[in-house]
Amino acid sequence: MANEAKASVLTELYANIVQSALYTMNEKTIIRPLVRNYDMSGTPGLTAQVPIYPSVSAAAIADGTDLANVAFDTSSKTITASEIGVMVELTDLAAEGANDDVAAAIGRQLGAAMAEKVDTDLAGLFSGFSSSIGTGDSEITADMIFQAAATLRTNNADQNGGYVCLLHPFQAYQLKKQLTNVGAAAMSHALSDVGNGALRDGFVGRIAGVDIFESNVITGASAGAYVGAVMSQDALGYMVKRSMRIETERNASKRSLEIVGTMAYGVSELFDSYGIGLVADAQLA
């Protein structure tokens, strides 16, 4: 038989699915690489205890004076893992009639779904920051990012990983419009390098030492009031218990192949003062 499902064909199909899924998962996650990552795979238990270290202060001392002990009481945050999953069922007829690489296409869809779910869960933590700037009926402005960066520096937020800003694309549009003076007299002087870059490349770039990223998973508690964030890497934590896993199961009576993707992870706020919520409307107007 010319069209039989040989073991070599199924192995190649499976390999293409896994390769595409893993690549897409890594490429499509925008927020996950910007927060503190913990790998608990292969470790017993479903929770990770992340130590939170207090800050200490140095003081002047007189010659020959003994130093007093400084209290160094650590606290901790718990990140608990749970499962997510998605399944695609590929029928024999669809596989046999497709011109494209169906396996790669399915892998991309599975990876994209996983990436979106991870970033959605992380973005959902933005509204939990104690400090926020802006209101739901106002547009995002460069000044808000300056304020947030100044607040983080005042809070001694760790800058080893740099500060980042996450905005919904519609919020980022308003910022780009201001920086490029499109449609409004937002700036009375010549465009900055950032403004020129936004016009040329469509990328906001860096403002006040803060790298700007866009993600369409950012939402808000109410219609139109979306919550982005300016934060350091230690503001939020992501713990992976089981990396994305792809499995297949043949459904002979349905002449199809069930392709299942699962993973286990958890997200949590770590240092509340290391993140500032940016509340602004997300309207193209």
Side-chain angles (χ1 to χ4, degrees):
M1 294 178 61
N3 295 321
E4 60 190 354
K6 298 179 181 178
S8 59
V9 174
L10 293 178
T11 300
E12 181 180 353
L13 177 72
Y14 178 74
N16 288 348
I17 294 171
V18 173
Q19 182 179 18
S20 294
L22 292 174
Y23 177 80
T24 305
M25 168 67 188
N26 290 327
E27 290 296 310
K28 288 288 187 179
T29 46
I30 296 173
I31 304 176
R32 178 186 58 81
L34 304 178
V35 305
R36 186 64 64 188
N37 281 233
Y38 301 93
D39 188 353
M40 295 291 292
S41 57
T43 303
L46 297 177
T47 62
Q49 294 285 338
V50 180
I52 305 299
Y53 297 107
S55 59
V56 296
S57 299
I61 55 173
D63 183 32
T65 302
D66 195 10
L67 287 171
N69 182 51
V70 175
F72 195 76
D73 298 325
T74 61
S75 58
S76 65
K77 288 294 182 80
T78 300
I79 307 179
T80 303
S82 59
E83 276 191 309
I84 64 166
V86 60
M87 184 183 81
V88 173
E89 191 168 15
L90 175 63
T91 65
D92 293 349
L93 196 60
E96 293 160 0
N99 292 323
D100 298 329
D101 187 344
V102 180
I106 291 174
R108 287 192 296 270
Q109 293 300 319
L110 293 178
M114 295 288 193
E116 182 174 345
K117 176 58 176 170
V118 169
D119 274 5
T120 298
D121 288 347
L122 286 167
L125 300 175
F126 294 167
S127 59
F129 290 135
S130 297
S131 298
S132 64
I133 298 171
T135 61
D137 58 358
S138 62
E139 306 290 0
I140 196 81
T141 64
D143 182 66
M144 293 169 64
I145 297 175
F146 282 115
Q147 289 182 52
T151 302
L152 292 181
R153 292 188 176 97
T154 301
N155 293 342
N156 291 320
D158 188 5
Q159 297 188 59
N160 287 337
Y163 295 156
V164 297
C165 174
L166 283 306
L167 299 174
H168 186 277
F170 288 173
Q171 291 176 317
Y173 160 76
Q174 296 296 341
L175 181 61
K176 293 174 186 176
K177 188 169 74 170
Q178 182 194 54
L179 293 172
T180 56
N181 199 19
V182 176
M187 291 183 172
S188 59
H189 50 76
L191 290 180
S192 64
D193 288 341
V194 174
N196 285 324
L199 277 178
R200 181 179 61 250
D201 305 322
F203 175 62
V204 178
R206 174 175 288 194
I207 299 176
V210 179
D211 290 326
I212 315 297
F213 295 87
E214 302 178 36
S215 175
N216 64 353
V217 303
I218 293 173
T219 57
S222 59
Y226 281 40
V227 183
V230 175
M231 62 184 185
S232 77
Q233 188 178 41
D234 286 327
L236 304 178
Y238 165 82
M239 182 268 284
V240 60
K241 178 62 183 176
R242 185 179 71 240
S243 298
M244 184 171 61
R245 182 169 66 195
I246 304 296
E247 297 179 280
T248 60
E249 183 177 22
R250 177 69 182 169
N251 189 336
S253 64
K254 201 173 180 180
R255 291 92 57 212
S256 65
L257 185 69
E258 295 178 352
I259 305 166
V260 178
T262 61
M263 66 182 297
Y265 68 90
V267 300
S268 176
E269 180 185 284
L270 298 181
F271 289 85
D272 180 71
S273 62
Y274 287 9
I276 308 294
L278 290 183
V279 184
D281 105 23
Q283 306 292 326
L284 278 179

